[in-house]
Each structure stands twice: as C-alpha cells, then as structure tokens.
Amino acid sequence: MFSYALPYDPVELVARDAARGVHRRWRMQAMRDLFGRVVVETAWGRIGAPGRTLTRSFAGEADAARYVRALLRRRAGARRRIGVDYVAAR
C-alpha cells in the first residue's frame, strides 16, 4: 500500500549508566490522524520524570519516514554524545 514502512508500533529506548548518572528514556510512535496525515509523537526525558513530548504532523508518509530515520540516526550516536548507547526497553 505504501512505499515507506514507518514503525507504526511504538519504539521505546533507554540509556542507563548508573556510574555516570545517565537514566534516559526515549519513545517514538507514528500514527495516522482522522484526516489521513501521519503524526509522529516523540517523548523523552529522565526515567521516572515527566519528560517532554513533541508532536509533528506530515502530509505524506515519505516526509514522516525521513523524519523518523533522522530521529533514529540521532539515537544511534548516543555513545558519542552521552557516553552510553540506547537499547530497546523491555
């Protein structure tokens, strides 16, 4: 049906390193709204804290997929930025 396969299931990642005091969580979910637009909701923050949420809406799935790939690339560089990798939450 679509040429791009967004991860419509939520993606939840955590980065933990008690010695460094790093306890972060990151969650992304893509969905369609009632008007057919693709909505990408991202939530992040310290584990156990309220955190922040950002919601972006895209007219096409290709634009949303490009945005999601950029978000995931950023998470892949976590070791360089915060000293610990993000891993899938259990």
Side-chain angles (χ1 to χ4, degrees):
M1 182 171 167
F2 297 108
S3 59
Y4 294 91
L6 280 175
Y8 282 100
D9 292 332
V11 174
E12 191 159 350
L13 306 173
V14 295
R16 294 181 185 197
D17 185 349
R20 298 176 55 118
V22 176
H23 304 281
R24 296 185 183 185
R25 63 176 170 74
W26 183 84
R27 184 174 202 266
M28 187 276 310
Q29 182 174 4
M31 62 204 96
R32 287 206 175 266
D33 67 7
L34 293 174
F35 304 104
R37 294 179 63 87
V38 179
V39 177
V40 178
E41 182 179 272
T42 310
W44 67 94
R46 188 168 175 87
I47 294 173
R52 298 180 66 186
T53 303
L54 175 67
T55 303
R56 300 230 10 222
S57 177
F58 299 90
E61 191 160 336
D63 293 332
R66 193 172 17 259
Y67 177 69
V68 167
R69 281 193 303 272
L71 290 174
L72 293 173
R73 268 195 313 273
R74 177 107 170 125
R75 298 292 75 78
R79 176 163 298 280
R80 183 183 69 254
R81 292 181 300 105
I82 63 174
V84 62
D85 290 325
Y86 276 93
V87 296
R90 298 179 206 172

